[in-house]
Amino acid sequence: MQNNIKYLIAKLAAEHSLTLDEYALLIASSDAELDLYLAELAVKTRKDIYSNFVYVRGLIEISNICKNNCYYCGIRRGNHNCERYRLTHEQILECASEGYSLGFRTFVMQGGEDSFFSDEILCGIIKDIKLKFPDCAVTLSLGERSYESYKILREAGADRYLLRHETADKAHYAKLHPAEMSYDNRMQCLYNLRKLNYQVGCGFMVNSPFQTINNLAQDLKFIESFKPEMCGIGPFIPHHDTQFRDYEINKLKSLELTCRLLSIIRLIHPSVLLPATTALGTIHPQGREMGIKAGANVVMPNLSPVAVRKKYELYDNKICTGDESAQCKNCLEARMRSIGYEIVSDRGDFKN
Ligand code: SAH
């Protein structure tokens, strides 16, 4: 094992911080033995705080209508082959109701930036969920909105907000998004959410087009300073109706790098809630198990109506699009048990 890298890992575990160059070295050092050492420390760190519990979030994909045109995303507005849908208030409540009876205590409403979902409409849905299921947390993942809007949604009862920063490098951001989208605004949204006392989630894709080791090191530096309560990272996977359709990904390398980054993020920020994402499960049949074994502690089974699941296609070959919610929950429960972890029916709030 390379001793200088081993030293960096030990330093990270002790101090929760490295320099940009040190992060870059760690990210670039592809060595199975080092990865095992990293994962071992990450798992130990997590165990002290969250035991062997894995928290579940029921994902409700409320709309695939989006005003944005992110170059990598299958539901970007410019994709005219995407069959659009939007769930009704009643459908969303039904998903939550089914989820509740399956033991879910967090519901994540995710979607494209669909202007139909005004503050008023969203508040009605949030309040209804909170009224029916007062012991549940509501997480929103609906993109960039104004400070005022985030404030109104927070007051209506939303507890958490997921907004991946996508990349902490402005020039890289500009290669993934059209000029009308702004890196500064996305970052400002994260700070606004923090100010409004949401539990906030940032995150990024791994091996996204044009991404360099240095970009990833910047992502880690950002996480170090922002200290998000949650952090969503998953491998980039091309979608056939985007300009990155022919971008080659090496699934094994992406899997390995994502797991390494999960371990590093766990060591930077021991109490962070870190999902083993669906994208990780998509590039490898045991991807989510591997993510948990690297230091993740959250899984997000799908609660969307089966009829719309295939339409919420951010990338190709997304898994679990044909299964009923109960199947998804049972499947993940069995997967977690098989590696010695236990799914808990709990809101799973951030522990300070
Ligand atoms: N509109 C919301 C939700 C976006 S979808 C928002 O702006 O936050 C959730 C995440 O999926 C995105 O933040 C992005 O990081 C990820 N994603 C999109 N396309 C992807 C792709 N091709 N491969 C992997 N992840 C992708």
Side-chain angles (χ1 to χ4, degrees), residues 63 65-66 68 70-75 110-114 141-144 161-166 181 186 203-206 232 234-239 242 244 279 312-316:
S63 169
I65 297 169
C66 192
N68 289 331
C70 308
Y71 296 150
Y72 46 83
C73 184
I75 65 168
Q110 188 179 87
E113 291 193 18
D114 177 355
S141 178
L142 300 168
E144 297 169 37
Y161 206 102
L162 303 175
L163 185 78
R164 291 187 178 182
H165 62 285
E166 311 297 0
M181 292 182 72
R186 198 151 185 100
F204 57 90
M205 291 177 286
V206 177
F236 163 76
I237 303 170
H239 183 283
T242 65
F244 298 136
Y312 197 80
E313 190 188 46
L314 308 175
Y315 47 81
D316 288 343

Side-chain angles (χ1 to χ4, degrees), residues 48-68:
D48 289 344
I49 304 169
Y50 293 109
S51 183
N52 67 334
F53 298 144
V54 172
Y55 299 99
V56 278
R57 310 333 191 167
L59 185 63
I60 307 173
E61 297 154 333
I62 67 171
S63 169
N64 70 354
I65 297 169
C66 192
K67 72 171 169 57
N68 289 331

